[in-house]
Amino acid sequence: MKFVDEAFIDVAAGDGGNGCVSFRHEKYKEFGGPNGGDGGRGGHVFAVADPNLNTLVDFRYSRRHDAKRGQHGMGSDMFGAAGDDVTLKMPVGTIITDAETGDVLYELLVPGETITIAKGGDGGFGNMRFKSAINRAPRQKTPGWPGDKKSLKLELKVLADVGLLGMPNAGKSTLIAAISNARPKIADYPFTTLHPNLGVVRVAPEQSFVVADIPGLIEGASEGAGLGHLFLRHLQRTRLLLHVVDFAPFDDTVDPVAQAKAIVGELKKYDTALYEKPRWLVLNKLDMVQDDARAALVKDFVKRYKWKGPVFEISALTREGCEPLIKAIYRHVKAEQIASQPPAEVDPRFADAPAAAAPGTDSAD
């Protein structure tokens, strides 16, 4: 399936049905008079977050979504039926923006979350609504109200705990395949990853986190070079960035330190908040470095790069060093999740109550 993370759609809720002018007049029947019913409500347009979807490709080829109009009111005190609603299934992480003003209207962040993106118009009143003691035969009615009509931009930002960042052919796809259930395309040439890949990393039966791999960045990405800048948005909701560095490039003229600095520079140009996210350094392809020279080369890299954060030495191909890495990631993600949870609400009636004594201890007099 083609990965699409941006689409434009037009939605229109249904107009309300018109009210009805009708009178009851039957022979030998008492209490005749106005009996025109109200029109029905127009259909709404809903958006629901579907965890089974991971792309907006359905909206690339189907742009117009209209709900049905409400039925008109009828005689005999009969109200019109409401118009049929339209429910649009979107991936979790979709941002819905007004295409004309650029204002963010909604964000679908919780699986199963349902929001109303276009409200149907109310039905008009029939003449039975206007009868009174001084107006026993009203002929007034009102038309149905129009439904909302909007032009919307849909933008998908995948929900992942960890994002992989690095140059093309740094081994990001090999790493996500080694530690998660993702199976991206892997080849010995750059730009094999053309769209983001998500994988679930299982640390233990009930311990896991989600990792995202995006196409590799190159220098000048913030000005439109390469593919990575198109997908940097998918790293904005992550809790941790892993900067994967090709520590053993095939060309001796390539300096890994210069490449690493170029990636960080592009990250800062794109989004300051993304640049300031927690970031760990992952030196990959160490299986291609001599064991006796590895420590000295790593020390030299860290010194020239002026890096003071965590450093992990791995080989995604042989999975050397991957186990300590994923355990450290899980501890960090878990701590971030706990820190981001809102504090528990305390009933003000018990806010100043003394703490209960521990079982098996004597309370003070």
mmCIF file with all atom_site columns, all heavy atoms in Angstrom, residues 148-165:
data_model
loop_
_atom_site.group_PDB
_atom_site.id
_atom_site.type_symbol
_atom_site.label_atom_id
_atom_site.label_alt_id
_atom_site.label_comp_id
_atom_site.label_asym_id
_atom_site.label_entity_id
_atom_site.label_seq_id
_atom_site.pdbx_PDB_ins_code
_atom_site.Cartn_x
_atom_site.Cartn_y
_atom_site.Cartn_z
_atom_site.occupancy
_atom_site.B_iso_or_equiv
_atom_site.pdbx_formal_charge
_atom_site.auth_seq_id
_atom_site.auth_comp_id
_atom_site.auth_asym_id
_atom_site.auth_atom_id
_atom_site.pdbx_PDB_model_num
ATOM 1   N N   . ASP A 1 148 ? -22.805 22.498 7.772  1.00 0.00 ? 148 ASP A N   1
ATOM 2   C CA  . ASP A 1 148 ? -21.445 23.030 7.643  1.00 0.00 ? 148 ASP A CA  1
ATOM 3   C C   . ASP A 1 148 ? -20.782 22.509 6.368  1.00 0.00 ? 148 ASP A C   1
ATOM 4   O O   . ASP A 1 148 ? -20.951 21.337 5.995  1.00 0.00 ? 148 ASP A O   1
ATOM 5   C CB  . ASP A 1 148 ? -20.595 22.637 8.848  1.00 0.00 ? 148 ASP A CB  1
ATOM 6   C CG  . ASP A 1 148 ? -21.093 23.275 10.128 1.00 0.00 ? 148 ASP A CG  1
ATOM 7   O OD1 . ASP A 1 148 ? -21.777 24.310 10.039 1.00 0.00 ? 148 ASP A OD1 1
ATOM 8   O OD2 . ASP A 1 148 ? -20.793 22.743 11.221 1.00 0.00 ? 148 ASP A OD2 1
ATOM 9   N N   . LYS A 1 149 ? -20.000 23.352 5.752  1.00 0.00 ? 149 LYS A N   1
ATOM 10  C CA  . LYS A 1 149 ? -19.201 22.973 4.582  1.00 0.00 ? 149 LYS A CA  1
ATOM 11  C C   . LYS A 1 149 ? -17.782 23.457 4.820  1.00 0.00 ? 149 LYS A C   1
ATOM 12  O O   . LYS A 1 149 ? -17.552 24.624 5.112  1.00 0.00 ? 149 LYS A O   1
ATOM 13  C CB  . LYS A 1 149 ? -19.783 23.577 3.302  1.00 0.00 ? 149 LYS A CB  1
ATOM 14  C CG  . LYS A 1 149 ? -21.171 23.042 2.933  1.00 0.00 ? 149 LYS A CG  1
ATOM 15  C CD  . LYS A 1 149 ? -21.739 23.736 1.724  1.00 0.00 ? 149 LYS A CD  1
ATOM 16  C CE  . LYS A 1 149 ? -23.053 23.095 1.295  1.00 0.00 ? 149 LYS A CE  1
ATOM 17  N NZ  . LYS A 1 149 ? -24.085 23.136 2.349  1.00 0.00 ? 149 LYS A NZ  1
ATOM 18  N N   . LYS A 1 150 ? -16.826 22.551 4.705  1.00 0.00 ? 150 LYS A N   1
ATOM 19  C CA  . LYS A 1 150 ? -15.450 22.898 5.029  1.00 0.00 ? 150 LYS A CA  1
ATOM 20  C C   . LYS A 1 150 ? -14.487 22.269 4.020  1.00 0.00 ? 150 LYS A C   1
ATOM 21  O O   . LYS A 1 150 ? -14.727 21.180 3.493  1.00 0.00 ? 150 LYS A O   1
ATOM 22  C CB  . LYS A 1 150 ? -15.078 22.394 6.439  1.00 0.00 ? 150 LYS A CB  1
ATOM 23  C CG  . LYS A 1 150 ? -15.907 22.997 7.560  1.00 0.00 ? 150 LYS A CG  1
ATOM 24  C CD  . LYS A 1 150 ? -15.503 22.424 8.906  1.00 0.00 ? 150 LYS A CD  1
ATOM 25  C CE  . LYS A 1 150 ? -16.337 23.020 10.033 1.00 0.00 ? 150 LYS A CE  1
ATOM 26  N NZ  . LYS A 1 150 ? -15.973 22.432 11.350 1.00 0.00 ? 150 LYS A NZ  1
ATOM 27  N N   . SER A 1 151 ? -13.393 22.975 3.791  1.00 0.00 ? 151 SER A N   1
ATOM 28  C CA  . SER A 1 151 ? -12.254 22.431 3.058  1.00 0.00 ? 151 SER A CA  1
ATOM 29  C C   . SER A 1 151 ? -11.162 22.150 4.086  1.00 0.00 ? 151 SER A C   1
ATOM 30  O O   . SER A 1 151 ? -10.751 23.053 4.826  1.00 0.00 ? 151 SER A O   1
ATOM 31  C CB  . SER A 1 151 ? -11.757 23.423 2.001  1.00 0.00 ? 151 SER A CB  1
ATOM 32  O OG  . SER A 1 151 ? -12.741 23.623 1.006  1.00 0.00 ? 151 SER A OG  1
ATOM 33  N N   . LEU A 1 152 ? -10.711 20.917 4.142  1.00 0.00 ? 152 LEU A N   1
ATOM 34  C CA  . LEU A 1 152 ? -9.813  20.489 5.205  1.00 0.00 ? 152 LEU A CA  1
ATOM 35  C C   . LEU A 1 152 ? -8.517  19.924 4.644  1.00 0.00 ? 152 LEU A C   1
ATOM 36  O O   . LEU A 1 152 ? -8.484  19.342 3.554  1.00 0.00 ? 152 LEU A O   1
ATOM 37  C CB  . LEU A 1 152 ? -10.484 19.416 6.075  1.00 0.00 ? 152 LEU A CB  1
ATOM 38  C CG  . LEU A 1 152 ? -11.814 19.793 6.723  1.00 0.00 ? 152 LEU A CG  1
ATOM 39  C CD1 . LEU A 1 152 ? -12.414 18.584 7.434  1.00 0.00 ? 152 LEU A CD1 1
ATOM 40  C CD2 . LEU A 1 152 ? -11.637 20.943 7.696  1.00 0.00 ? 152 LEU A CD2 1
ATOM 41  N N   . LYS A 1 153 ? -7.467  20.122 5.404  1.00 0.00 ? 153 LYS A N   1
ATOM 42  C CA  . LYS A 1 153 ? -6.177  19.494 5.124  1.00 0.00 ? 153 LYS A CA  1
ATOM 43  C C   . LYS A 1 153 ? -5.928  18.432 6.185  1.00 0.00 ? 153 LYS A C   1
ATOM 44  O O   . LYS A 1 153 ? -6.019  18.704 7.384  1.00 0.00 ? 153 LYS A O   1
ATOM 45  C CB  . LYS A 1 153 ? -5.051  20.537 5.144  1.00 0.00 ? 153 LYS A CB  1
ATOM 46  C CG  . LYS A 1 153 ? -3.654  19.936 4.967  1.00 0.00 ? 153 LYS A CG  1
ATOM 47  C CD  . LYS A 1 153 ? -2.570  21.002 5.111  1.00 0.00 ? 153 LYS A CD  1
ATOM 48  C CE  . LYS A 1 153 ? -1.182  20.391 5.010  1.00 0.00 ? 153 LYS A CE  1
ATOM 49  N NZ  . LYS A 1 153 ? -0.118  21.406 5.203  1.00 0.00 ? 153 LYS A NZ  1
ATOM 50  N N   . LEU A 1 154 ? -5.620  17.233 5.743  1.00 0.00 ? 154 LEU A N   1
ATOM 51  C CA  . LEU A 1 154 ? -5.300  16.137 6.652  1.00 0.00 ? 154 LEU A CA  1
ATOM 52  C C   . LEU A 1 154 ? -3.799  15.898 6.631  1.00 0.00 ? 154 LEU A C   1
ATOM 53  O O   . LEU A 1 154 ? -3.194  15.756 5.559  1.00 0.00 ? 154 LEU A O   1
ATOM 54  C CB  . LEU A 1 154 ? -6.041  14.857 6.237  1.00 0.00 ? 154 LEU A CB  1
ATOM 55  C CG  . LEU A 1 154 ? -7.556  14.962 6.049  1.00 0.00 ? 154 LEU A CG  1
ATOM 56  C CD1 . LEU A 1 154 ? -8.133  13.601 5.669  1.00 0.00 ? 154 LEU A CD1 1
ATOM 57  C CD2 . LEU A 1 154 ? -8.228  15.503 7.301  1.00 0.00 ? 154 LEU A CD2 1
ATOM 58  N N   . GLU A 1 155 ? -3.206  15.853 7.806  1.00 0.00 ? 155 GLU A N   1
ATOM 59  C CA  . GLU A 1 155 ? -1.765  15.639 7.920  1.00 0.00 ? 155 GLU A CA  1
ATOM 60  C C   . GLU A 1 155 ? -1.525  14.556 8.963  1.00 0.00 ? 155 GLU A C   1
ATOM 61  O O   . GLU A 1 155 ? -2.040  14.637 10.076 1.00 0.00 ? 155 GLU A O   1
ATOM 62  C CB  . GLU A 1 155 ? -1.065  16.930 8.317  1.00 0.00 ? 155 GLU A CB  1
ATOM 63  C CG  . GLU A 1 155 ? 0.452   16.830 8.379  1.00 0.00 ? 155 GLU A CG  1
ATOM 64  C CD  . GLU A 1 155 ? 1.088   18.140 8.796  1.00 0.00 ? 155 GLU A CD  1
ATOM 65  O OE1 . GLU A 1 155 ? 0.359   19.046 9.242  1.00 0.00 ? 155 GLU A OE1 1
ATOM 66  O OE2 . GLU A 1 155 ? 2.319   18.254 8.694  1.00 0.00 ? 155 GLU A OE2 1
ATOM 67  N N   . LEU A 1 156 ? -0.784  13.546 8.585  1.00 0.00 ? 156 LEU A N   1
ATOM 68  C CA  . LEU A 1 156 ? -0.520  12.423 9.482  1.00 0.00 ? 156 LEU A CA  1
ATOM 69  C C   . LEU A 1 156 ? 0.855   12.549 10.102 1.00 0.00 ? 156 LEU A C   1
ATOM 70  O O   . LEU A 1 156 ? 1.859   12.713 9.402  1.00 0.00 ? 156 LEU A O   1
ATOM 71  C CB  . LEU A 1 156 ? -0.619  11.101 8.714  1.00 0.00 ? 156 LEU A CB  1
ATOM 72  C CG  . LEU A 1 156 ? -0.249  9.837  9.495  1.00 0.00 ? 156 LEU A CG  1
ATOM 73  C CD1 . LEU A 1 156 ? -1.176  9.651  10.701 1.00 0.00 ? 156 LEU A CD1 1
ATOM 74  C CD2 . LEU A 1 156 ? -0.304  8.613  8.596  1.00 0.00 ? 156 LEU A CD2 1
ATOM 75  N N   . LYS A 1 157 ? 0.884   12.514 11.430 1.00 0.00 ? 157 LYS A N   1
ATOM 76  C CA  . LYS A 1 157 ? 2.137   12.407 12.173 1.00 0.00 ? 157 LYS A CA  1
ATOM 77  C C   . LYS A 1 157 ? 2.059   11.119 12.976 1.00 0.00 ? 157 LYS A C   1
ATOM 78  O O   . LYS A 1 157 ? 1.239   10.988 13.885 1.00 0.00 ? 157 LYS A O   1
ATOM 79  C CB  . LYS A 1 157 ? 2.328   13.597 13.122 1.00 0.00 ? 157 LYS A CB  1
ATOM 80  C CG  . LYS A 1 157 ? 2.546   14.934 12.415 1.00 0.00 ? 157 LYS A CG  1
ATOM 81  C CD  . LYS A 1 157 ? 2.783   16.047 13.415 1.00 0.00 ? 157 LYS A CD  1
ATOM 82  C CE  . LYS A 1 157 ? 2.995   17.382 12.731 1.00 0.00 ? 157 LYS A CE  1
ATOM 83  N NZ  . LYS A 1 157 ? 3.219   18.478 13.710 1.00 0.00 ? 157 LYS A NZ  1
ATOM 84  N N   . VAL A 1 158 ? 2.874   10.159 12.621 1.00 0.00 ? 158 VAL A N   1
ATOM 85  C CA  . VAL A 1 158 ? 2.775   8.853  13.258 1.00 0.00 ? 158 VAL A CA  1
ATOM 86  C C   . VAL A 1 158 ? 3.099   8.967  14.739 1.00 0.00 ? 158 VAL A C   1
ATOM 87  O O   . VAL A 1 158 ? 3.892   9.811  15.166 1.00 0.00 ? 158 VAL A O   1
ATOM 88  C CB  . VAL A 1 158 ? 3.711   7.828  12.581 1.00 0.00 ? 158 VAL A CB  1
ATOM 89  C CG1 . VAL A 1 158 ? 3.334   7.633  11.136 1.00 0.00 ? 158 VAL A CG1 1
ATOM 90  C CG2 . VAL A 1 158 ? 5.164   8.266  12.698 1.00 0.00 ? 158 VAL A CG2 1
ATOM 91  N N   . LEU A 1 159 ? 2.467   8.109  15.527 1.00 0.00 ? 159 LEU A N   1
ATOM 92  C CA  . LEU A 1 159 ? 2.681   8.086  16.969 1.00 0.00 ? 159 LEU A CA  1
ATOM 93  C C   . LEU A 1 159 ? 3.716   7.016  17.290 1.00 0.00 ? 159 LEU A C   1
ATOM 94  O O   . LEU A 1 159 ? 3.435   5.819  17.186 1.00 0.00 ? 159 LEU A O   1
ATOM 95  C CB  . LEU A 1 159 ? 1.366   7.799  17.696 1.00 0.00 ? 159 LEU A CB  1
ATOM 96  C CG  . LEU A 1 159 ? 0.254   8.835  17.500 1.00 0.00 ? 159 LEU A CG  1
ATOM 97  C CD1 . LEU A 1 159 ? -0.989  8.426  18.255 1.00 0.00 ? 159 LEU A CD1 1
ATOM 98  C CD2 . LEU A 1 159 ? 0.707   10.202 17.950 1.00 0.00 ? 159 LEU A CD2 1
ATOM 99  N N   . ALA A 1 160 ? 4.900   7.443  17.632 1.00 0.00 ? 160 ALA A N   1
ATOM 100 C CA  . ALA A 1 160 ? 5.977   6.517  17.976 1.00 0.00 ? 160 ALA A CA  1
ATOM 101 C C   . ALA A 1 160 ? 6.715   7.054  19.192 1.00 0.00 ? 160 ALA A C   1
ATOM 102 O O   . ALA A 1 160 ? 6.776   8.260  19.422 1.00 0.00 ? 160 ALA A O   1
ATOM 103 C CB  . ALA A 1 160 ? 6.939   6.332  16.802 1.00 0.00 ? 160 ALA A CB  1
ATOM 104 N N   . ASP A 1 161 ? 7.268   6.148  19.985 1.00 0.00 ? 161 ASP A N   1
ATOM 105 C CA  . ASP A 1 161 ? 8.033   6.544  21.167 1.00 0.00 ? 161 ASP A CA  1
ATOM 106 C C   . ASP A 1 161 ? 9.453   6.954  20.804 1.00 0.00 ? 161 ASP A C   1
ATOM 107 O O   . ASP A 1 161 ? 10.033  7.847  21.422 1.00 0.00 ? 161 ASP A O   1
ATOM 108 C CB  . ASP A 1 161 ? 8.070   5.397  22.176 1.00 0.00 ? 161 ASP A CB  1
ATOM 109 C CG  . ASP A 1 161 ? 6.684   4.988  22.638 1.00 0.00 ? 161 ASP A CG  1
ATOM 110 O OD1 . ASP A 1 161 ? 5.959   5.862  23.132 1.00 0.00 ? 161 ASP A OD1 1
ATOM 111 O OD2 . ASP A 1 161 ? 6.327   3.809  22.498 1.00 0.00 ? 161 ASP A OD2 1
ATOM 112 N N   . VAL A 1 162 ? 10.016  6.284  19.794 1.00 0.00 ? 162 VAL A N   1
ATOM 113 C CA  . VAL A 1 162 ? 11.423  6.488  19.434 1.00 0.00 ? 162 VAL A CA  1
ATOM 114 C C   . VAL A 1 162 ? 11.506  6.710  17.928 1.00 0.00 ? 162 VAL A C   1
ATOM 115 O O   . VAL A 1 162 ? 10.818  6.042  17.149 1.00 0.00 ? 162 VAL A O   1
ATOM 116 C CB  . VAL A 1 162 ? 12.276  5.269  19.839 1.00 0.00 ? 162 VAL A CB  1
ATOM 117 C CG1 . VAL A 1 162 ? 13.746  5.505  19.493 1.00 0.00 ? 162 VAL A CG1 1
ATOM 118 C CG2 . VAL A 1 162 ? 12.124  4.983  21.319 1.00 0.00 ? 162 VAL A CG2 1
ATOM 119 N N   . GLY A 1 163 ? 12.336  7.661  17.512 1.00 0.00 ? 163 GLY A N   1
ATOM 120 C CA  . GLY A 1 163 ? 12.552  7.914  16.098 1.00 0.00 ? 163 GLY A CA  1
ATOM 121 C C   . GLY A 1 163 ? 14.002  7.713  15.719 1.00 0.00 ? 163 GLY A C   1
ATOM 122 O O   . GLY A 1 163 ? 14.912  8.085  16.469 1.00 0.00 ? 163 GLY A O   1
ATOM 123 N N   . LEU A 1 164 ? 14.228  7.104  14.549 1.00 0.00 ? 164 LEU A N   1
ATOM 124 C CA  . LEU A 1 164 ? 15.583  6.883  14.036 1.00 0.00 ? 164 LEU A CA  1
ATOM 125 C C   . LEU A 1 164 ? 15.935  8.004  13.072 1.00 0.00 ? 164 LEU A C   1
ATOM 126 O O   . LEU A 1 164 ? 15.159  8.345  12.181 1.00 0.00 ? 164 LEU A O   1
ATOM 127 C CB  . LEU A 1 164 ? 15.682  5.532  13.331 1.00 0.00 ? 164 LEU A CB  1
ATOM 128 C CG  . LEU A 1 164 ? 15.327  4.304  14.165 1.00 0.00 ? 164 LEU A CG  1
ATOM 129 C CD1 . LEU A 1 164 ? 15.556  3.036  13.350 1.00 0.00 ? 164 LEU A CD1 1
ATOM 130 C CD2 . LEU A 1 164 ? 16.130  4.255  15.458 1.00 0.00 ? 164 LEU A CD2 1
ATOM 131 N N   . LEU A 1 165 ? 17.134  8.538  13.245 1.00 0.00 ? 165 LEU A N   1
ATOM 132 C CA  . LEU A 1 165 ? 17.585  9.692  12.476 1.00 0.00 ? 165 LEU A CA  1
ATOM 133 C C   . LEU A 1 165 ? 18.980  9.400  11.962 1.00 0.00 ? 165 LEU A C   1
ATOM 134 O O   . LEU A 1 165 ? 19.809  8.839  12.674 1.00 0.00 ? 165 LEU A O   1
ATOM 135 C CB  . LEU A 1 165 ? 17.597  10.932 13.387 1.00 0.00 ? 165 LEU A CB  1
ATOM 136 C CG  . LEU A 1 165 ? 17.887  12.286 12.792 1.00 0.00 ? 165 LEU A CG  1
ATOM 137 C CD1 . LEU A 1 165 ? 16.721  12.735 11.927 1.00 0.00 ? 165 LEU A CD1 1
ATOM 138 C CD2 . LEU A 1 165 ? 18.116  13.301 13.909 1.00 0.00 ? 165 LEU A CD2 1
#
